[in-house]
Amino acid sequence: MTAIAAATGTESETATDAPSDPPPFQHQTRGRWLEQWEPDNLKFWESGGAQTARKNLIFSVFAENLGFSIWVIWGTVVTSMGAAGFGFLAGLGKGDPTAVSNALLLSSTPTLVGAALRIPYTFAIPKFGGRAFTAFSAAMLLIPTLGLAYFVNQPGTPMWVFMILAALAGVGGGNFSSSMSNINFFFPEGKKGAALGINAAGGNLGVAQTQLVLPLLITLGTHIMAKDPAGYRFGITLSILVWIPFILAALVGALRYMDSIATAKSDGKSYKLALTNQHTWVMALLYVGTFGSFIGFSFAFPTLIKANFPSLANIGWISTIGNLAFLGAFVGSFSRPFGGWVSDKIGGAKITLFVFGGMAVSVALIMASLELKSFPLYLISFLVLFVMTGIGNGSTYRMIPTIFSVISKKYAAEHGLDLTESTASARRQAGAAIGVIGAVGASGGWLLQQALRLSNIHYHTMAPAFWGYAVAFLLMGAVTWWFYLRSSFAVERVPSLAYAKV
C-alpha cells in the first residue's frame, strides 16, 4: 500500500457512523462541485469518499511541490548570474560583500512575499473552491518562470527587474496554505494528520529537487554552449523552462480532475479566538525558529557555500554548488515526519526544547568549520542543522492541537460545558492557529537572510549573524520550557500529548 493509500484507507476505526445514512455517493474521476461531503461517516467514506479524497490529495501534492520548486528557484539561480554577465553578482564567487548582499536580497524576497501570501491563500479555498484555486495558483507560477527566462537573456537587465521577478516567485510560497487548507476539508479526523503530513512533505521536497536539478541543467547548458556568459544564460534558461510542462500539467490536472467542496466554509470566529490566544503567538515565535530557519537557510545555502568556499567552483560538476546545497532541504524535509512521530511518543515540547539546543550547537560547529576552513565539517554541521529544523517543524506542529485541546478541556471542566463541543471548538481554533503560525514562521526565513545580508554589509563577515542565531535558538528553547515544560504549569500527561500551560 502506498503512503497516500495508507493515509486514506477505509479502516473502520478511522471514521464513525453518523446517526443517519447519507445519500449514496459516487466517486468520479472528473472534477466537480461536491454538494455533499461527509468524510467522517464510515459508509460515505467507503462508498467512494476515500477514492475522491485520495485523488485530490495526489493532485494537491503535485501542485504544491511545484509551488515550492518555483518559490526557491532564486536561491540557486543567483549563484550563476554573475557568470552569466550580470555585474551586480559578478563578485559572488570571490566573496565580494556587495555581490553577496545582492544575492541574499534576491533570494530572500520570495520568502517574504510567500509568507505574506499564506494568509489570503488560506481564505481562498472556501471562497473560490479547491479546484479553481489550485488551478489559479498553478497558473500564477508561469509568470515568474517565463519572466525570468526572458529577462535573463537580456544582459543589460537592471537588478530591480529581477527583484520584481523574485517577488513574483513568492506566489509559490503561498500555495502551501491553500493546499493544506483544501486537503484538510477532504479527510476525516482520523486521517487528517497523515494526509496533511504527506501534503506538507511533498511540498518541502520541492526545495530539494530544485536545488539538485537546476545546477545540473545549468552545467549542461554551459557544456552545450560554452563556459562564457552566453552559455550560462542558456543554462539558466534551460533550468527555468524545464518546469513549464509540469506547471501546465498541474493546471490542467486541477481543472480536469480535482473537486471543490460546497460546504467548505471559513470559520471567522475560530480565527478571532486563535488570534487573541497568547499560545498562537508563542507557537508562532517557535515556528519562526524551526520553519523560518529551514526555509531561510534553504534559500541561502547555495550562496553561503559559494561565498565561503569559492575554491569549490573549480571542481568540475560541483562548480554550480547547488549539487550539494540540495542535501540540506532534502534531509530537512524527510526529518519532519520523524519529528511528529517521536513527539507522539515523548511529547512535542520536550522534542522542541531538544531541537533548539541542537540548533545552537550546530551553529557553533558551523563557525568552527569556518575558522578551520574545513568544508566537510561545514557541510556536516549544516546538515545537522537542517535535520534539527525538520524535526522541530514536526514537533511544533504536533504541539499546536495539544495545547488547544488541553486548554479547552480545562475550561470545559471549570465552567461545566459540554466536553464534545469544547473539543470541536479546540480543533477549529487549532486549525485557524496553524494558518497564522505558518505565515509568521515563513517570514522568519526572510528575517534570517536579512540578518546575514546586513552582517555581511556592516561587518564584512556573517559571523555576528550566526552567533545571533545561536543566542536566539537558546532563547526559544527557554520560551519552550517556560510555557510548556515547567512543573508548576504542567498538566496531567495524556498519551501522545505534550505538556501545556493552562
Side-chain angles (χ1 to χ4, degrees):
M1 181 179 288
T2 65
I4 291 178
T8 59
T10 58
E11 293 84 344
S12 60
E13 68 269 21
T14 60
T16 57
D17 288 315
S20 58
D21 291 339
F25 177 79
Q26 294 293 327
H27 168 71
Q28 293 185 14
T29 302
R30 290 294 299 266
R32 52 180 167 157
W33 274 97
L34 300 174
E35 298 296 334
Q36 169 206 7
W37 189 251
E38 302 176 32
D40 285 295
N41 185 294
L42 178 59
K43 292 183 179 179
F44 179 93
W45 186 247
E46 291 183 335
S47 68
Q51 290 177 277
T52 298
R54 187 181 305 133
K55 175 191 70 171
N56 281 274
L57 176 60
I58 291 171
F59 284 98
S60 176
V61 168
F62 182 47
E64 188 198 347
N65 177 274
L66 289 171
F68 267 81
S69 297
I70 302 306
W71 191 26
V72 78
I73 214 166
W74 278 91
T76 299
V77 166
V78 294
T79 63
S80 298
M81 287 181 65
F86 296 96
F88 51 85
L89 292 171
L92 180 60
K94 299 178 181 179
D96 176 66
T98 300
V100 172
S101 174
N102 289 338
L104 289 171
L105 189 60
L106 284 167
S107 65
S108 65
T109 298
T111 316
L112 182 63
V113 175
L117 287 176
R118 284 189 168 195
I119 294 178
Y121 269 50
T122 299
F123 291 100
I125 295 299
K127 186 172 182 62
F128 301 106
R131 177 188 181 191
F133 197 78
T134 301
F136 168 79
S137 62
M140 286 293 291
L141 300 176
L142 293 170
I143 299 175
T145 48
L146 292 175
L148 178 56
Y150 174 79
F151 283 105
V152 81
N153 285 289
Q154 313 299 318
T157 302
M159 183 174 166
W160 67 265
V161 173
F162 290 115
M163 282 289 293
I164 293 175
L165 292 172
L168 289 171
V171 298
N175 284 16
F176 177 82
S177 288
S178 59
S179 180
M180 295 289 275
S181 175
N182 185 42
I183 292 304
N184 181 63
F185 287 115
F186 275 97
F187 287 84
E189 288 299 324
K191 297 292 184 184
K192 287 183 188 291
L196 292 175
I198 291 170
N199 203 53
N204 288 353
L205 281 173
V207 179
Q209 73 189 26
T210 295
Q211 292 183 336
L212 174 63
V213 172
L214 257 68
L216 294 175
L217 290 176
I218 292 172
T219 301
L220 176 63
T222 61
H223 281 78
I224 292 175
M225 297 284 287
K227 289 188 177 181
D228 57 20
Y232 275 97
R233 289 195 294 273
F234 174 75
I236 293 173
T237 304
L238 181 65
S239 72
I240 300 303
L241 293 182
V242 72
W243 301 105
I244 301 301
F246 296 101
I247 294 172
L248 292 175
L251 168 61
V252 174
L255 286 174
R256 185 175 178 83
Y257 299 110
M258 289 189 74
D259 304 295
S260 295
I261 300 175
T263 56
K265 303 298 182 183
S266 59
D267 186 354
K269 180 180 179 181
S270 293
Y271 271 93
K272 292 178 181 178
L273 291 172
L275 288 172
T276 57
N277 192 310
Q278 67 168 337
H279 294 286
T280 298
W281 303 106
V282 172
M283 292 307 302
L285 173 65
L286 301 185
Y287 203 55
V288 164
T290 57
F291 183 76
S293 296
F294 169 78
I295 200 66
F297 280 124
S298 293
F299 274 77
F301 200 25
T303 296
L304 293 176
I305 295 177
K306 190 163 188 176
N308 289 312
F309 295 92
S311 60
L312 293 178
N314 299 320
I315 305 178
W317 65 272
I318 206 175
S319 61
T320 48
I321 300 304
N323 302 73
L324 291 179
F326 92 95
L327 290 172
F330 184 78
V331 298
S333 298
F334 273 102
S335 62
R336 180 169 187 157
F338 174 76
W341 175 82
V342 74
S343 295
D344 284 342
K345 306 296 182 182
I346 300 175
K350 288 184 177 180
I351 297 301
T352 301
L353 178 61
F354 166 78
V355 160
F356 283 126
M359 290 171 69
V361 172
S362 299
V363 169
L365 291 174
I366 290 169
M367 299 312 298
S369 69
L370 290 174
E371 287 293 326
L372 297 171
K373 300 186 185 304
S374 170
F375 179 71
L377 179 60
Y378 184 81
L379 180 61
I380 291 171
S381 301
F382 251 113
L383 293 183
V384 172
L385 178 61
F386 274 108
V387 168
M388 288 295 169
T389 64
I391 295 173
N393 288 338
S395 65
T396 50
Y397 254 52
R398 186 65 188 88
M399 289 171 66
I400 296 167
T402 297
I403 292 166
F404 281 91
S405 176
V406 171
I407 292 172
S408 68
K409 287 177 180 178
K410 184 174 187 297
Y411 187 85
E414 291 177 345
H415 294 80
L417 301 178
D418 179 68
L419 184 59
T420 301
E421 175 57 31
S422 294
T423 300
S425 176
R427 288 174 180 168
R428 292 193 295 269
Q429 290 182 56
I434 284 173
V436 176
I437 292 167
V440 175
S443 69
W446 179 81
L447 292 173
L448 182 147
Q449 292 177 84
Q450 293 311 302
L452 287 173
R453 188 177 70 86
L454 294 174
S455 177
N456 185 69
I457 290 175
H458 295 293
Y459 301 103
H460 302 291
T461 174
M462 299 181 195
F466 274 99
W467 287 121
Y469 300 150
V471 172
F473 296 149
L474 292 175
L475 290 175
M476 289 178 184
V479 168
T480 304
W481 174 83
W482 178 268
F483 280 96
Y484 306 118
L485 288 172
R486 280 196 301 163
S487 60
S488 59
F489 289 102
V491 297
E492 182 180 357
R493 181 82 188 277
V494 179
S496 300
L497 297 185
Y499 290 94
K501 179 183 176 182
V502 297

